[in-house]
Structures are given as C-alpha cells and as structure tokens.
Amino acid sequence: MRPKKLALCLSAIVILTAAGVSYRYIGETSPSRHLSAAQVETQPISTRTLYDQESGYGSILSKDYVTLTSLQTNRITSIKFYGGETVKKGQVLLTQDTRTAQAQVAQDQAQLTQAKNEWTRQSNLRDKGLISQSDYDDSYSSYKQAKALLEQDTALLSELTIKAPFSGVISSTDFHVGDLLNSGTTIATLYDPDNLTVQYQLPASARAEYKVGQQVEVQSELNPNNKAMGKVTYIAPSIDTGLITLKAEMKAGSDFKPGQNVKVTQQTKVMTNQVTIPTGSLLTNLGGNQAYIVENGKAVLRDVKVGNFYNGYVQILSGLQAGEALVTNGQDYLHTDEPVIVNNSGHVLSKSSKAPGVQQ
C-alpha cells in the first residue's frame, strides 16, 4: 500500500509543478515581445480666415421695378415680347388699336392749321389797324386751344403703344392679340436684374456687430445651390419684435428675381490667421477636448480649447500650433507616447478608419 501512496504523491507533485510552469508561461509576456506601431494619417495644421456670422430671412427687391399697365380701354393689336426676355429701354412691347386715335389726331392737325392761318390773317389786319385788339385776341386764343388739343390727343395716341421704360427682364403676360384691355389692367412686370437688393431681418441682440459694407451671402430657399454675394447698404435705426431690418445690394449677374424668399448670412467679424482642424480630428470626453499630433514618431495627446465650428472645421484657440502634424485618421485607438507609423496613402489599417465622422 505504501508504494502506491508514494507513487500517487509523486504524480500529484509533478502535475502541480507542470501547472505552475504552465500558468507562469501563459500569464507572463516575454521581454523580447513588443506591440506593433499603430498606423495613422496626418496633415499639417493650417490657419485660415474665419468669419463670425448671423443668419436671417428676407426677400429680393429691385431698385428698377415697374408694373406695366394699360392706360386706355382698347383692344390689343400686337404683343412684341415673351416672358423672361431681356428688353431694351424704349422697345415697343405692346400696341392697341390706334385707328380712332389717329383719326382724331388728323382732325386736330387740320383744325390747328386752320386756326393758325386765321390767327396769322388777324395779326396782319391788326397791324394795319383794320380790326380791334379783341378780334385778334380771339383768333390767337383759338390757335392756342387747337394746338393744346392736338398735343393732348397726340399723347393719348402714344398711350396705345406700351414701351419699356428701362432695360431689363420682362415677365410673361396672360393676354393675347385681340383681347380687350381695360384702363389700368396689369400687362406684365419689368425689372433690372443687375440692380437687385435684398431686404432681410437679423437678431437685434447682435446689432452692435452689424456694419454697412459687410458681406452677405444670399441663398434661395427653394434651391440652396442658387447663391449670390452682396454688401450691406442700410441698417434700420429701430427694432421690431427683437429683429432689425437691413438691406444689401447684390452683385450683378445673379439668377434671383424680385419677390423671391431667401436666406441671408451676414459676415459680422473677420478673423485672420486662425488655427483650425477638421472636426473629425477632435476628441471630446469628460476631461474636455483633445487632439493627437505626431512628434518624433510618437502620438502626443494635447488638451485644446475650441472656438466656433465652421463647415467641417473647428477653431482652435489654444493647444495646437500651425505646422504641427495633426492625426486625422486612426486617433480613436491611440494612447499618448504610443509609437506610430504615418501612412498618408489613404488606407490606414486600423479600426478607426471605419469610424464615423473621420475627415479623410
């Protein structure tokens, strides 16, 4: 029995010893084993000009804008424009029936000729002392009345021809040749596309920042790709329900039209040489905002103070300097002082290359 017990004890000792060796082998890392360096993408930190801005809404106006109306009740005999056409100042746009008016002018011209001849004859007789002054005055009065009547009816005749008062773009019309136009009926509208303004409202709380001459961007509400630039020309002195009214003159050549509703963004402050980084490079946690840079082949975590955000970039007030190598991809799994390999080929072999919000 004793030999068997001795054998069992020896076996147990061998098993425990092996287990201890095995445990130490699994739990300890060989001093010669090292972690591989992380691959990251970097870009030099740059500076740019930034703008503080305020946004509001308004509508497009034209300094030269007119509603063309008929001045007399008459039928249309010709329409010489189409909607959207650019017309020249003085160009004939529409005519109405002139036959009656032309006949009246011809009659007035004949009466004027007769009155003038009579006045001339009476003038000669007066000079010879053959008629009284009152007879001469009556002939002169008849002449002046005939002249005034001709001028009046000639003006009425001209009203039957609608001309462009200035060069611009004309709208379409709902009328056709032969239609009867009543006096005062709207025919079309005309505006100068190179002389547009925008009237809009901004928060009155920032009134001290608004200056005449500041730049504005005008954007169509229906088509955000339709944009144009302008310059502030007017700031209202009064405030209405927490808003202030402004006007800006738009640059020539835009596709906007009077009456369009637009969004207006006004640049209120210009800041040059501002350090910025892509928003995807910014790390935010309970400790604040941070970003990685690469120095001497290692990742260095910097605490940063941020300002405003601008279209994919964030303003850095402190913590980073222009020219430093900012980690733009691969930063989510880095540790400070970790060795890194810079791979700017666009194919970083790390999990962070799939992280949302990373700027490539």
Side-chain angles (χ1 to χ4, degrees), residues 68-141:
L68 302 172
T69 60
S70 58
L71 300 177
Q72 296 184 42
T73 298
N74 212 320
R75 293 194 179 277
I76 299 173
T77 56
S78 69
I79 298 175
K80 301 180 180 295
F81 69 92
Y82 57 86
E85 178 184 2
T86 299
V87 298
K88 299 295 184 181
K89 180 179 179 179
Q91 179 177 331
V92 175
L93 304 175
L94 180 145
T95 61
Q96 294 174 274
D97 191 349
T98 61
R99 289 174 295 181
T100 300
Q102 285 179 333
Q104 184 62 52
V105 168
Q107 180 180 336
D108 293 343
Q109 183 64 60
Q111 290 177 351
L112 175 61
T113 300
Q114 181 180 355
K116 184 177 181 180
N117 291 337
E118 179 62 20
W119 169 55
T120 301
R121 189 178 71 85
Q122 293 289 347
S123 179
N124 291 331
L125 292 175
R126 184 200 61 176
D127 292 342
K128 296 177 180 179
L130 299 177
I131 62 171
S132 64
Q133 182 65 35
S134 62
D135 290 338
Y136 167 82
D137 291 341
D138 289 342
S139 65
Y140 180 71
S141 177

Side-chain angles (χ1 to χ4, degrees), residues 255-294:
D255 293 329
F256 288 96
K257 299 177 181 179
Q260 276 187 275
N261 294 323
V262 294
K263 177 182 179 181
V264 181
T265 301
Q266 181 169 326
Q267 299 172 357
T268 58
K269 184 186 294 183
V270 180
M271 298 171 289
T272 59
N273 298 320
Q274 298 296 302
V275 174
T276 60
I277 65 171
T279 54
S281 300
L282 185 68
L283 303 174
T284 302
N285 50 47
L286 295 178
N289 297 299
Q290 299 172 316
Y292 276 106
I293 64 169
V294 174

Side-chain angles (χ1 to χ4, degrees), residues 142-162:
S142 296
Y143 163 71
K144 296 292 287 184
Q145 290 176 5
K147 184 178 181 182
L149 184 60
L150 175 61
E151 291 174 351
Q152 173 183 304
D153 289 339
T154 299
L156 292 174
L157 174 62
S158 67
E159 290 178 354
L160 297 175
T161 300
I162 307 299

